[in-house]
Amino acid sequence: MAIYSFLLLAGQSVAVLLGRLYFEKGGNSSWMGALVQPAGFPILLPFYLSQPKSPSTSNFETSLPSNLVLASIYISCGIFIAIVSMLHSLGLKYLPVSTYSLICASQLGFNALFSFFLNSLKLTPFIVNSLVLLTISSILLVFQDDSAQSKQVYKRKYAFGFICTIGASAGYGLLLSLTQYAFKKVLKQETFKVVLDMTVYPSLASTIAVLVGLFASGEWKGLGKEMEGFKLGEVSYCMTLIWTAISWQLFSIGCVGLIFEVSSVFSNVISTFGLPVVPVLAVFCFGDKMDVIKAIAMVLAIWGFLSYVYQHYLDDCKLKKQNSNAAATEMLITG
């Protein structure tokens, strides 16, 4: 869990910062901004190919879903990821960082709502407290002084970016809930290879879908000119895109891993916990001003994170106690 959480937080923070860097320094292709989100999956292939094969017992094989079912899951998830990636790209392109972070925090509420219906999530007081605090911590970021940035954005594009990011947050929350549902109800396996399967194959399908959109839209024709006009140089242009793709893929493996180990809501809590980190990192990367609101947002995010972790600790203690009582009962019966 610690490794998955680190990959999610580090990957998300670096990817968002590099995504902003791409648009701020001359990048203009929304399709390219979407493409880098799933296209880094080849870095996982060495780990994927090194995984041992699943056992081949007859009982195990009969419990596995068919290849057609697996292909349907991977392709549908991939297309869904492509849509969400495009919406996130448009939001990151047109919105200030504080507004973007605010709307992205709403994905936690969407995820909890979808998990309540799909995965029978129990909304305990500690979980509700965590959701409220983490959401407020990101909402506070909207009160930053982004007026200078907002003046540079046309009202129509601003509204368009707002709507796209709302849609992306809702879609991402639904995607996490569906991924957890697929793990528990369809895949029914507890191996790291399953985590890689749910990362590599959907990313491949998503990359193909975005590439089709890139070429169909004609934006690929202007990429050469865009690279030449990039303010940091052509090499920096390529490295920005490459490391953005790698960072998003690290985020994906951490996200899917946490869904596999715990739940989609826990994965989203960790993700939302990292949202206030981006403005703080922007202080060092882009020279943004650090103010009291950002500090309060960080405190609330940590409080909300600890609240959810404490609920997970209580659930773990309860489970251990139940297992202990069951073992004691079995010993009394057999004795």
Side-chain angles (χ1 to χ4, degrees):
M1 282 179 54
I3 295 176
Y4 287 140
S5 298
F6 174 78
L7 290 176
L8 188 153
L9 291 172
Q12 174 182 255
S13 300
V14 174
V16 171
L17 290 173
L18 289 178
R20 288 190 57 80
L21 181 68
Y22 167 73
F23 287 116
E24 288 183 1
K25 299 302 180 181
N28 194 47
S29 174
S30 301
W31 284 105
M32 180 58 71
L35 179 62
V36 294
Q37 296 181 46
F41 72 91
I43 67 170
L44 300 176
L45 293 180
F47 301 98
Y48 181 79
L49 296 176
S50 65
Q51 292 300 306
K53 294 183 178 181
S54 302
S56 57
T57 61
S58 58
N59 290 335
F60 184 80
E61 287 181 345
T62 55
S63 66
L64 292 178
S66 65
N67 291 332
L68 179 61
V69 172
L70 290 176
S72 299
I73 292 174
Y74 298 147
I75 293 174
S76 59
C77 285
I79 295 175
F80 207 94
I81 291 171
I83 296 173
V84 171
S85 297
M86 186 60 181
L87 292 174
H88 269 304
S89 177
L90 291 169
L92 193 60
K93 181 178 181 180
Y94 294 129
L95 293 179
V97 62
S98 61
T99 307
Y100 178 80
S101 299
L102 161 66
I103 302 172
C104 285
S106 65
Q107 69 192 28
L108 190 58
F110 285 119
N111 183 209
L113 177 64
F114 293 132
S115 291
F116 177 78
F117 292 104
L118 293 175
N119 302 311
S120 302
L121 174 69
K122 295 181 180 179
L123 297 178
T124 65
F126 285 108
I127 290 181
V128 173
N129 180 62
S130 175
L131 298 180
V132 171
L133 289 173
L134 286 167
T135 303
I136 292 176
S137 72
S138 294
I139 290 176
L140 283 176
L141 299 177
V142 80
F143 295 105
Q144 299 178 77
D145 184 15
D146 281 329
S147 57
Q149 298 181 44
S150 299
K151 290 178 182 178
Q152 301 174 5
V153 183
Y154 293 107
K155 291 183 179 180
R156 182 179 299 179
K157 291 183 178 180
Y158 186 93
F160 181 67
F162 189 93
I163 294 172
C164 287
T165 311
I166 281 285
S169 299
Y172 183 72
L174 177 59
L175 179 64
L176 293 183
S177 298
L178 290 174
T179 301
Q180 181 182 351
Y181 183 85
F183 273 133
K184 291 187 175 180
K185 304 296 184 179
V186 183
L187 301 176
K188 300 179 182 179
Q189 298 180 59
E190 298 182 357
T191 64
F192 183 63
K193 187 177 183 300
V194 176
V195 175
L196 291 176
D197 285 340
M198 281 297 291
T199 305
V200 173
Y201 291 125
S203 294
L204 173 60
S206 178
T207 301
I208 294 173
V210 176
L211 280 174
V212 171
L214 176 64
F215 284 97
S217 67
E219 282 193 6
W220 65 275
K221 299 177 182 178
L223 293 180
K225 185 177 181 181
E226 180 180 283
M227 182 172 63
E228 293 175 358
F230 197 66
K231 295 179 182 180
L232 299 179
E234 296 181 10
V235 176
S236 296
Y237 176 85
C238 296
M239 294 304 295
T240 298
L241 294 178
I242 290 172
W243 283 106
T244 303
I246 293 175
S247 299
W248 276 122
Q249 207 56 219
L250 294 178
F251 165 80
S252 296
I253 194 69
C255 177
V256 176
L258 286 177
I259 295 174
F260 174 77
E261 292 289 345
V262 190
S263 70
S264 61
V265 175
F266 183 80
S267 177
N268 216 338
V269 166
I270 300 297
S271 178
T272 306
F273 170 68
L275 288 176
V277 175
V278 176
V280 173
L281 293 177
V283 172
F284 304 99
C285 298
F286 301 113
D288 288 2
K289 183 178 68 173
M290 182 66 178
D291 52 27
V292 176
I293 291 179
K294 290 180 182 177
I296 295 175
M298 283 295 298
V299 172
L300 290 177
I302 295 173
W303 184 7
F305 171 73
L306 293 177
S307 179
Y308 191 91
V309 170
Y310 182 68
Q311 178 61 55
H312 181 66
Y313 168 76
L314 292 179
D315 293 340
D316 189 52
C317 290
K318 183 178 180 180
L319 181 61
K320 289 181 178 179
K321 185 177 180 179
Q322 290 176 350
N323 292 338
S324 177
N325 292 337
T329 303
E330 184 179 355
M331 290 180 62
L332 289 175
I333 294 176
T334 56

